[in-house]
Amino acid sequence: MERHKQIAYQLDLFSEQSRNAIAHSPMNQGVPEDSEGVGSQVTGAGEQKRALTDDLMQHVCSSDNIRKAYKQVKQNDGSPGVDRQDITSFGEWYITFGDDLRYNLLTGKYNPDPVKSVEIPKPDGKGIRLLGIPTVRDRVIQQAIYQVLNPLFDGDFSQGSYGFREGRNAHQALKKSGEYIKGGKGIVVDIDLEKFFDRVNHDRLMYRLSQKIGDKVFLRLIRRYLQSGILTGGLISQRTEGTPQGSPLSPLLSNIVLDELDKELEKRGHQFCRYADDCNIYVRTRKSGERVMESIGKFIEDRLKLKINRQKSKVVPSGETKFLGYRIVKDGILTISPVNINRLKDKVRKITTRNRGVSLKLIISDLNSVLRGWLQYFRFSRWRGVLVELDGWIRRRLRCYKLKQCKKVYAIKLFLSNHGINETQAWNVAKSGKGWWRLSKTPPCNRAMNLNWFNDLGLFCLALNYDRLNN
C-alpha cells in the first residue's frame, strides 16, 4: 500500500513537472492544457460543436486526467497484458518515460500494443466468450480517453439506456420494465444481438464519433485501438470489426453504436429498456410485437450492420423470458430466473466439492463472498421460499463436506458425540454404509450441525439477510 502511495505521489509530481515542457512544444502553443469540464464546453450545433473538440488530446494527456485514469485502473486491478507489466511497475515506468508517452500521444505517433486474448465459458455453458486484455499502459490511456469522451456523449443518450452509465444501473432498468408491464404492455420483444461486441462496424462507429469530434489525432487513436492486433496462441491477428470486451473504452463505444437504435425506437414511440446489447421492447399484443420484431430487425441489420440471433430473439409474454437475470411477471413483479438459481448452485457445488482438501472455515468464507454478491443483486425478487430451500441445500452440502473430512468411523462418531449426539446414535451414523450425501440428511447429523452451529461458523444465511434488506 505504501509503495502504491509513493508511486501515485511521484506520478503527480512528474505530471506537474512535465506539463510545462510538453505544453511549450511548437505544436501546443496557445492551447490550454488542463481545461476542465470538456463536456460542458460542447455547446451549439454542427460544426460549432466539432470546432470545440479540436483539442481533445490535450485534455486526454492533461496531468489531472492521466492521474485520475491511473488511479481508476489501479482500483480495477486486472491481469497484465502481453508485456506482463502490472500496475505497480507501470507507475515506476511512467515516472521515467511518461513525457515520451504523452509526446507520442499528442503528435499521433503512439501505436497500441496487441491485446491478449482470453477465452471464458459463457454463463449458460454453451460456447465461449472472448475477452481482450490490453496492457496496463493501454488501459490507462483508454481510461483517460473515456474520461474525456463520456461527457461528450452521455448527456445525449436515451432515457431507455441503462448499461455502463454513471448513475444508472440494472435495477433501474428492471424497475422501469416492471412499470411498462404493469401498465398493460405485457408482451416483450426480446432482441438478441449475435456476437455484438465482435461485430461492431468500425466505419459506422468512427462516423458517429466524427459527428461530434474534430480532433483528428484523437479519432486516429481510437481507430488504432479498434484495429489493434489480438494475440492468440502466439500469433497476432488484425481486427477489422468489433470492440474487445475487457477494454475500458468498449462499453462506451457500444453505447454510442446502439444509441442509434435507441433513437429509432424513440422516434417510433416504443417503450423499451436496453442494458448494453440486451434490449427489450414492450407492446400490448403479440401481433404488434411480431411487427416490431420484423421492422426493428431490418433496421438493425440493414442500417447498423449488426446481426440478430433469430433463434434466441422472441416475442413472448413477459413471464416467459428473462431480463438481466430476472423474470418480470404480471403486474410488474420481479422474480428470479430459474437459470440463475441453477448457476448459483453450480458455483456452490464447485466451492463445496468434497475433494478440495481445505478447511471448512475457508469453504464458508468462499461461499459467503458468492452468496452476498448474489443476494445483493437479486434482492428485489419476491422469492423468500426459494431462498429458504437454497439455505437448506447449502447447509446439507456443508454437512456432507464435514463428514467427508472426518473420513474414519471413529472420527465421525467422536465429532457427533462432541456435538450432543448420544453414543448409540453416533455409532449408528458412523458405521452406516450410506454415502456422504445420504448421511448428511440423517437426524443426528442435522442436530449436530444445526443452525446455531452454522451461525457460529459465520455462514451467510440468504433468507435472513433477504429479510434484513427488505425491511
Side-chain angles (χ1 to χ4, degrees), residues 33 47 57 125 186 190 244 268 278-279 314 376 380 421 437 440:
E33 182 186 357
E47 292 301 316
M57 283 307 299
D190 187 351
R268 299 186 187 191
D278 198 348
C279 183
K314 50 190 176 289
Q376 184 65 27
F380 295 112
I421 307 303
W437 184 244
S440 66

Side-chain angles (χ1 to χ4, degrees), residues 18-19 22 33 61 94 98-106:
S18 64
R19 171 166 34 179
I22 296 178
E33 182 186 357
C61 295
Y94 187 84
D99 56 347
D100 294 334
L101 175 62
R102 293 179 73 238
Y103 180 81
N104 288 333
L105 287 169
L106 289 165

